[in-house]
Amino acid sequence: MKVSNLLLSAIVLGSLATTNTVALAEEAITTNDTSASGQVVANEGNVNTESTETTSSSVMSETPAPAETNPSTDPSAGQTIEQSTEQTTESATQEPAQSEEAASETPANAETAEEITNQLEDGQTITHTHQADLSQFNTNVYARSAFAARSTNSQQAFIDSIASTAQSLASANDLYASVMIAQAIVESGWGNSTLASAPNYNLFGIKGSYNGQSVTMPTSEYVNGEWITVNAAFRKYPSYKESLQDNVTVLKTTSFQSGVYYYSGAWKSNTKSYKDATAWLTGRYATAPNYGSTLNNVIETYNLTQYDTATPAATSPMYRLYNRHTGEHFYTLNAGEKNYLPTVGWKYEGVAWQAPNSGSPVYRMYNPYSGDHHYTMAQSEINFLKKLGWRYEGLSFYSGGSKPIYRLFNPNEKTGTHHYTLSASERDWLTPMGWRYEGIGFYGN
């Protein structure tokens, strides 16, 4: 009888345990579903939050370990990489809890931003910083679909505000508009950072001044193993267009070795798709290993590839004339100059190349003593020639497109010392005759 009762009790308890197990499993599934749904909403909330510079998830991923030395230098490229933090003057969004170790390394309420210094081919440098938290843009494919469906009008409005300019600049400079727009979204937190907002319009955290205009913000930098707070000047632009143009300048002219362009692997002519471009930027434009995948997520979620098939940028013919008395070649967009010069002895040789109507500006210099003209994008070269008596004549044309314009120098002449040509065969013909090939001067179509 006791055995029977014990057996019956065991059966009843086993049934209850089975029932409880099933119930707990169902509850766990429900909890997980709720958590996943909540994550999507939370991600959307992060994008819409009015943040000031960066969010603290990037703080944790980019804060250097105590044993590391900052700044460090990439020996293969000579690129200086520093770790810094940016503090903003506005209220920051509430940050997630930090570990004790990380909290001891950074000042309270500081947000880290990686700094990368780019050496340009004209001798100048441009330092850009990373302001955004990459984690908010990295979601799985299912969450991305839900996220895109819930995208706000403000996000699309930001895309619309830069898409046209990005299309024009990308088309004129052999770049992907989709990548450019995705970079602007990620670097500025949808344009909501203090630096990216009006009246600063600095989407890429570029330091320095623009036409003498800058905005000063307190920045925490990691120096000699500790964080110190300094005031740093960041470029203040009149609009997003100039900020996007500066980013193009970085991508097209950064060079640590003559004739070798650091970001050339992100150019359209050197890639098969935008994914090749984002892969090339990873470890170069930003050291975060998930930088490329972050850009890819944004491009796919918001269908940014639609902007890569824009109508080709408008161009204008660049006329070439030759003066047989001085040996100088003259280049101009001005039809009036083209028509006048043949009346005073110049020979019209046709269209040298098609110059974009927007892009990187090229300036013209004139030597009143020799009558020679010179064309350059480098401010340092302009300043140097002015000291030698050359006259600055202003903007001549724009550089941009997929075809290189080669620059050659003749050390044996006093006028017509520089020559510019789209023809590789002309370049190769001139070099054995004493002309020195100086590399790519500009780009055209």
Side-chain angles (χ1 to χ4, degrees):
M1 184 66 178
K2 290 182 178 180
V3 173
S4 300
N5 288 337
L6 287 172
L7 181 60
L8 179 60
S9 299
I11 292 172
V12 171
L13 289 172
S15 175
L16 289 173
T18 302
T19 302
N20 288 337
T21 301
V22 173
L24 287 172
E26 290 177 349
E27 180 180 351
I29 292 171
T30 303
T31 302
N32 288 339
D33 289 343
T34 304
S35 176
S37 175
Q39 183 179 5
V40 173
V41 175
N43 282 337
E44 181 183 2
N46 285 343
V47 172
N48 291 326
T49 299
E50 291 287 334
S51 61
T52 52
E53 286 298 330
T54 57
T55 57
S56 65
S57 292
S58 73
V59 175
M60 304 307 300
S61 63
E62 294 179 356
T63 300
E68 294 179 354
T69 302
N70 288 274
S72 61
T73 302
D74 180 350
S76 64
Q79 181 180 36
T80 300
I81 300 174
E82 298 179 352
Q83 296 287 342
S84 71
T85 65
E86 291 185 13
Q87 295 173 316
T88 59
T89 56
E90 297 181 5
S91 300
T93 55
Q94 184 176 358
E95 299 179 349
Q98 300 181 4
S99 66
E100 292 182 3
E101 180 182 359
S104 66
E105 293 178 2
T106 57
N109 300 323
E111 299 183 59
T112 59
E114 177 184 52
E115 286 190 358
I116 293 184
T117 299
N118 303 279
Q119 178 70 48
L120 306 187
E121 63 180 348
D122 64 2
Q124 299 184 81
T125 61
I126 286 184
T127 298
H128 68 265
T129 65
H130 298 284
Q131 311 167 66
D133 171 17
L134 300 185
S135 65
Q136 66 176 287
F137 301 99
N138 286 316
T139 55
N140 61 44
V141 65
Y142 302 107
R144 276 206 311 272
S145 299
F147 190 22
R150 294 180 173 90
S151 61
T152 66
N153 291 334
S154 63
Q155 291 164 4
Q156 187 58 50
F158 177 71
I159 293 174
D160 292 343
S161 70
I162 63 174
S164 178
T165 299
Q167 281 181 303
S168 177
L169 289 173
S171 179
N173 290 281
D174 191 29
L175 297 170
Y176 289 95
S178 58
V179 175
M180 193 181 302
I181 296 170
Q183 280 190 292
I185 290 171
V186 170
E187 300 295 344
S188 71
W190 293 99
N192 288 326
S193 72
T194 302
L195 202 53
S197 302
N200 303 319
Y201 298 109
N202 190 328
L203 295 170
F204 304 99
I206 293 180
K207 286 190 168 183
S209 64
Y210 181 83
N211 289 341
Q213 298 297 307
S214 65
V215 56
T216 300
M217 293 186 177
T219 300
S220 295
E221 297 181 354
Y222 196 73
V223 178
N224 297 327
E226 63 179 355
W227 291 100
I228 62 172
T229 300
V230 298
N231 287 326
F234 291 84
R235 293 190 177 187
K236 182 177 181 179
Y237 301 101
S239 71
Y240 286 143
K241 179 180 179 179
E242 291 77 14
S243 181
L244 290 164
Q245 175 62 68
D246 260 1
N247 194 49
V248 169
T249 300
V250 168
L251 297 178
K252 292 295 292 186
T253 68
T254 296
S255 178
F256 299 100
Q257 180 182 347
S258 180
V260 178
Y261 295 93
Y262 194 59
Y263 298 113
S264 61
W267 301 354
K268 263 190 171 182
S269 57
N270 295 329
T271 56
K272 293 182 179 179
S273 74
Y274 72 86
K275 289 186 177 180
D276 292 336
T278 57
W280 186 267
L281 293 175
T282 305
R284 293 178 174 84
Y285 190 94
T287 60
N290 63 334
Y291 188 68
S293 61
T294 298
L295 296 179
N296 292 343
N297 282 341
V298 173
I299 290 170
E300 293 163 11
T301 301
Y302 297 96
N303 189 29
L304 299 184
T305 53
Q306 64 180 298
Y307 302 107
D308 290 329
T309 55
T311 303
T315 61
S316 299
M318 196 73 186
Y319 306 114
R320 172 171 144 173
L321 299 99
Y322 175 67
N323 189 327
R324 63 185 179 86
H325 302 293
T326 63
E328 179 189 4
H329 278 91
F330 182 74
Y331 308 85
T332 181
L333 290 172
N334 191 314
E337 283 184 322
K338 179 203 73 170
N339 295 331
Y340 168 74
L341 289 175
T343 67
V344 291
W346 290 74
K347 179 184 178 182
Y348 174 60
E349 294 188 332
V351 175
W353 64 84
Q354 292 290 329
N357 292 346
S358 64
S360 300
V362 179
Y363 306 101
R364 189 168 95 182
M365 306 291 291
Y366 173 67
N367 189 331
Y369 306 106
S370 65
D372 203 10
H373 289 85
H374 185 67
Y375 309 84
T376 181
M377 292 192 296
Q379 188 62 48
S380 57
E381 195 170 29
I382 292 172
N383 295 337
F384 174 75
L385 290 176
K386 280 183 177 180
K387 294 178 181 179
L388 299 179
W390 289 71
R391 184 185 304 157
Y392 173 64
E393 293 191 329
L395 176 67
S396 178
F397 59 94
Y398 290 103
S399 170
S402 58
K403 297 179 181 179
I405 310 299
Y406 306 111
R407 170 172 152 169
L408 298 101
F409 171 69
N410 191 334
N412 304 312
E413 298 291 340
K414 292 185 178 180
T415 59
T417 54
H418 280 90
H419 184 69
Y420 309 88
T421 180
L422 186 68
S423 170
S425 59
E426 187 176 34
R427 174 200 64 189
D428 297 339
W429 180 73
L430 289 173
T431 48
M433 299 176 62
W435 289 78
R436 185 185 305 157
Y437 174 54
E438 294 188 326
I440 297 172
F442 324 111
Y443 284 88
N445 291 301

